[in-house]
Amino acid sequence: MTGLMGGWATLAAAGGGAAAHAAPGIPAPGAGSPIALLLLGLPLLAAALCGVFAATGNRSKLPAFTSVAALGACFGIALMLFLNWNGQPATARAFDWISLDWGAGKGQSFDAHFGVYIDGLTLLWMLFVTGLATVIALYSMEYMSHDVGLGYCRYFAAFNLFVFSMTALVMGDNLLMLFLGWEGVGLCSYLLIGYYYKRAAAVAAAKKAFIMNRIGDLGLLMGILSTFVVFGTIEYAPLFQMIASGKTASGAELASHWSVWGIPLMFAVGAFGKSAQFIFYTWLPDAMEGPTPVSALIHAATMVTAGVFLIGRLYPLFTADPALIALSVVAWAGVITALWAATIEMAIFDIKRVMGYSTISQLGFMFAGMGLLTPTGAAFHTFTHAFFKATLFLGVGAVMHGFGGQLDLRRLSGVMWMRGFGLVGIAMLVGSINLSGVPFTAGFFSKDVILAQAFTTPGTMIWGAQAAAWLLLLTAGMTAYYTFRTFLRVYVGPREFVPGDDAELLDLGRHPKGVSLDEWHAQHGHGHGHGHGHDDHGHGSDHRAAVRPDFDPTTEEFDPHPPGWSMKAAIGLCMVLSILAAGVYFMKPAVGNHGGWVAGMVGQSSAAFASPGEHHGGAAEHAAKLGTFLGYDPHKVMYYVSAGVGLIGILIAAFLHGPRGVWSLFIGNRTSAAVAPRADALANLFGPLTRAARNKYYVDEIYDALVRTPLRVLAHIFHILDQGLVDGLVNLCGALPRMLARSLRPSQSGVLQGYAVGMAAGLGLILIVVWVLMLR
Amino acid sequence: MSTPLLMTMLGAADQPLPMVEKLRYLVPEMILFIATVVVMIVGLSPNRAVRRSCAAVSIAGLAAAGAAAAFGPAFEGGVLPGLMPFAKVLIAAVGVLLVMVVTGTVDRDFEGEVSRGAAFDALRGNRAEFYAFALFSLTGLMLVASADDLIWLFLALELTSLPTYVMVSISTARSRSQEAGVKYFFLGAFGAAMFLYGFAMLYGATGTTALYGPGSIAEVLAARAASGEGLGMLATLGLVLSIVGVSFKIAAVPMHFYTPDVYEGAASSVSAFLAFVPKAAGFLTIILLLAAVGWHFGPAGTALPEPIRVTLWVMAALTMTVGNVLAVMQKSVKRMLAYSSIAHSGYMLVGVIVGPGSQAGATGSLQSNGLAAVLFYLLCYGFMNLGAFAVLAVLEKRSGGEREEIETVEDLKGLCRTQPLMGWTMVLCALSLLGLPPLLGFWGKFFLFTSAIGAGEIALVVVMGLNSAIAAYYYLRLVGAPLLESSDAGASFTEAPAPARKWAAVLSAASVLVLVLPAGWLIQRANNATGVRPPTTPMKASGGTADSASTSAPAVRAAR
């Protein structure tokens, strides 16, 4: 089962010191197709068009159609690039962006081209970014339709700008392009989280996301600057060559230079910020304030994986360090994040936040994969996670959309059995089994690669690799539990719900008592594609002010509002894609023999790396150096172990939260949406711990106390110092000239004789001075 | 006072250049003189339209003089051969704006009577004299720049000053102007006496009045310095007396007392004139005198003789401090600007102390040439100070039939809203006077600072920095009042019926912004203008020491 790991680099490396594990030199890039530049141009054009639509006061769904078309074309181009790709890295340049030199020597010029660098990693990322962006733009077309007008244009402009930024981040051929994209996605994330800018929570969440990311960005920026200082270039191709040569620009031995661990650590901090890893993760749950499609695309599938991409892109730098310090940090940050977030998910009730924390947790798995020396596993998990997490988010979004914004799992039950929600339920089930790692799903295979490698990687290379592996395995079980907790509570069981309090969404399903929703809509022309023909339905970004008075249960009823065709199509597409994603594991890799298609892609990229234990050697030889799973070869047994752990997690979820009946395998005990006696008893058993987890371990409060409060106190102290000391000094300085002036003032008496005497006296004094000087 | 007279006097002296040859350098002055004569006649015309062409004729004359100077030859006979074109073009340019500002100063009531039907009486009108005096003064200023002889210098200085005494007196009908004129005249005469005495001592010490050329003051002093005996007591005293006397013109301590009283007493338009013309004359004189001495003394051989350096040092430090500190206390805008003009003289004296730096001339370092910094600062100061005064000259209000100018800072309140053009002119000019980047004043100060640092005058730089900070105190009041505060209900100022003043103000404000762009080119011109020429042939008297002079004299530098 060793063969599960992939990568052509395997063939070259065979144990020995860490340096021997470094990838062989990455081939110099050839000339890429300039068509790749369209991937940058089209989303930007679409964003500009959305701006034009906004300026011309367009009130149709034109921005959505434009976006779907542009992004679909991008996906087509990405696919075409992939199919025509010869397996070698390639670059294509649009123009010279920055070109400076201040001397002829090395490191005395700075070049950054506006161009793209195409390798396996780039194509892998571009395929799922553009593919999912297209699907989610389709979903948004309906989801955001209540806001047709200025807000709709704003949404799609930011959406397209996001895709442009993500493309720049992934495809850029230098670190400055990456930085441009990095900041661009941060900006778009801010704009989209704060889309409902009249809601205080959304604005606060947007700011939080931006500020937390800025802290990480400092690390990234320092990394880029240090890279330039140390290596004299920020372009990937020469940078990789220089790293392969083992020397810095000044000729120092790279392996013993501070930069070999210093620069990767800086980049790691940047990656932690963007990918919401431990201690920076707090912004991501709050980012769920944004529209759900945004959460699905940006805060689950694509943007948050930028950190994983960054590490993969710079893997030669990370692995150049003989001690692999930065990768150990990355591994442990990932493990802690995965476990930490999973414990919170088990306790909270907001299903969208569950998905948010689940994303954090799964990102932790990816980082752990990168850190534990399986970039293939990390990239594979990123790839599969993108599809199944998008499916889950879109499913949650459909529920939110249909139940007046209700997200509390104690107030929803049996959604799957309600009219129009069948597909949503099936999609949620598919997403859930993927996330839980049920055998033969995409999530199962990708998580398995990481877990197997985690047990294989020896502690001599990555500090505490064995402990990390066990914690990851535990987290995998917890993942299965919380995933099915949500599914079993919300989607199956007795049909029961309490509508949410989002007036806008509530509007979609309310009708007077005694009239069915369909009749009501037929009467009022409020058919599907809500937002049209609705007399008093507010348009534009001030829509929140224009809703009808509060829901009155005595005269009105609420029926769940099922998703329309475009939402269903998007959910269905994502579901199918997440099922198909499992198939790539069985595709023959382009290089190497195992690990499937993704392993081939990663093997033909900067992240190519010979994971320890990948190579078939004598069993005895491996047993001596590599880690094992209780003495067994992890690559052989991990299939069964992780499948078993996942099933145990699901069974516990069914036992605690499942409704009575077949969908919880006859072991459930839940009788209504809110009442699950065993679960409640268990939660009470762990009383304080549950409460702490429910309150996210008070991390926000701790940050508030540790960072914000001291800053405030400091600000007050400085304010007082400024008022008293600094202003006092300044005022004193200001008073001195006035005092001097008062003493000089009498000389300006206005009397002619006085002036003449003054002049003569002045001359006399000067002459005396000169006299003294002459005599000296 | 006319050119033939000068010719006779100068021709009598034993000059290296025959007078006739010298005339070709004086074309601008001659053009201005012709314009003066025309103005004098035109201004007396009974025809109103003809009378009113005085300003136009003056401006045309100045423009022609400026053009003649720009395309004229370098002054081969001067100590500073490149100085003349630069200085004269500068004088002509600022002169045009000054003439625009002084339009409408005199004869307003008289012209009012005439337009109401009274008969025109040439004896009652002041127009002809006023413009003629302004042009005479500017002619004198140009002649200062052309001077290569002490007598010429004295006459040119007096030609610059004497008309201004009259201009102050007749600028308004109020007794305050008369008082200011009298004060100005007496104290000016006192100053003139001082530097005339100094000139006489210099003549006594060197036996010549020529500043440059064979047997001139420059050569005598150079030979003396080379022989190691120093300048000598008499020559030093003469120089100190001359400098202190001339510092009346630049309003430097201890000769500054008159400034606020005279500026306040004169009409704002004439104050603008006073703030530039005598000051430029004074600085040109000091530069010419010191160029004859040379900046090749001191331990490094790049400084003035120690007594003179100390004199100037003390004067510079005191001048800026006294000017700025007293400006802080002023409520009257005019007095504030008067003190500020004192302070600016102090800044410029720093550049004079520094001298042309180690490599003045075409190849020199722009940042170390103090003289270039002074000339450039004079240009900056000319524009920005003129703008501030022009605003005061434009705005007036009537109270009880009496015209009143802007008096206190309070009167400026809300000007950016009530009179946006004038308000913003005041804001820009005050910020530039303060030296805020990127305005013109900043670059002026910048080069003064760099040259002083280059010359090692760190203490003076510190004093200058502190003074710039103090200056912010009152300049920011001139910025804040028009820009940030709202105007009081009662004070409503209208524009004076002389549109040229408004244009002068706007042009000044514009140049504060626009001249920043060619600042590098301008400072390069100034740098070229300040190559001090070393004495060519050592005096016969010191004959045999010629070789030793060139080796032992610390640094008699090749300037071109």
Side-chain angles (χ1 to χ4, degrees), chain B residues 210-533:
Chain B
L211 282 170
Y212 177 80
S216 65
I217 294 173
E219 291 202 344
V220 174
L221 293 183
R224 229 180 254 175
S227 65
E229 54 187 284
L231 293 183
M233 181 62 91
L234 196 56
T236 305
L237 276 183
L239 277 170
V240 169
L241 264 178
S242 311
I243 291 166
V244 175
V246 170
S247 69
F248 177 86
K249 308 286 182 216
I250 64 172
V253 172
M255 313 295 275
H256 66 284
F257 295 101
Y258 74 94
T259 324
D261 291 15
V262 172
Y263 285 19
E264 198 186 18
S268 296
S269 53
V270 174
S271 304
F273 199 86
L274 296 184
F276 179 75
V277 176
K279 191 159 292 209
F283 271 104
L284 289 173
T285 306
I286 291 176
I287 289 173
L288 285 171
L289 280 175
L290 293 178
V293 177
W295 283 264
H296 40 73
F297 297 85
T302 54
L304 289 167
E306 190 64 6
I308 296 170
R309 193 186 78 87
V310 171
T311 307
L312 283 170
W313 202 103
V314 173
M315 280 170 62
L318 283 177
T319 304
M320 27 185 158
T321 311
V322 167
N324 280 321
V325 160
L326 282 172
V328 166
M329 299 293 284
Q330 302 308 317
K331 290 195 174 58
S332 154
V333 184
K334 249 160 115 187
R335 284 185 81 88
M336 191 186 280
L337 286 176
Y339 282 114
S340 114
S341 82
I342 295 175
H344 285 280
S345 290
Y347 302 150
M348 283 187 269
L349 278 176
V350 174
V352 171
I353 294 168
V354 169
S358 49
Q359 286 174 313
T363 59
S365 151
L366 293 179
Q367 275 92 43
S368 66
N369 187 341
L371 293 187
V374 173
L375 287 185
F376 182 65
Y377 200 86
L378 210 51
L379 181 153
C380 307
Y381 169 81
F383 285 108
M384 60 199 184
N385 201 47
L386 194 148
F389 274 111
V391 171
L392 304 186
V394 167
L395 298 172
E396 59 181 27
K397 72 173 174 187
R398 294 216 166 247
S399 67
E402 190 79 0
R403 279 195 301 274
E404 275 187 12
E405 291 185 319
I406 281 195
E407 187 60 37
T408 61
V409 180
E410 314 291 300
D411 293 339
L412 289 173
K413 276 184 180 173
L415 210 57
C416 285
R417 273 176 293 277
T418 55
Q419 298 272 356
L421 220 49
M422 290 305 104
W424 282 103
T425 299
M426 183 50 104
V427 168
L428 275 176
C429 290
L431 286 176
S432 181
L433 284 164
L434 161 60
L436 194 82
L439 300 175
L440 196 56
F442 165 75
W443 294 105
K445 253 186 203 160
F446 175 79
F447 289 112
L448 281 177
F449 270 98
T450 53
S451 70
I453 292 168
E457 296 284 0
I458 303 301
L460 211 47
V461 170
V462 172
V463 174
M464 209 162 135
L466 287 175
N467 268 291
S468 298
I470 298 173
Y473 186 99
Y474 59 90
Y475 283 134
L476 286 179
R477 279 166 69 199
L478 294 184
V479 175
L483 190 59
L484 303 175
E485 294 174 39
S486 54
S487 58
D488 300 331
S492 64
F493 284 89
T494 52
E495 287 176 16
R501 290 185 180 182
K502 194 168 89 178
W503 288 113
V506 172
L507 279 174
S508 310
S511 56
V512 160
L513 284 174
V514 173
L515 285 185
V516 172
L517 301 175
W521 183 80
L522 287 169
I523 188 77
Q524 184 64 56
R525 297 296 102 193
N527 195 37
N528 294 346
T530 50
V532 181
R533 177 179 293 192

Side-chain angles (χ1 to χ4, degrees), chain A residues 439-450:
Chain A
F440 306 109
T441 60
F444 168 72
F445 291 120
S446 60
K447 197 184 284 181
D448 197 71
V449 175
I450 295 174

Side-chain angles (χ1 to χ4, degrees), chain A residues 105-122:
Chain A
K106 233 178 180 179
Q108 287 186 308
S109 63
F110 181 92
D111 288 292
H113 304 281
F114 202 90
V116 294
Y117 181 91
I118 301 163
D119 69 358
L121 206 61
T122 308

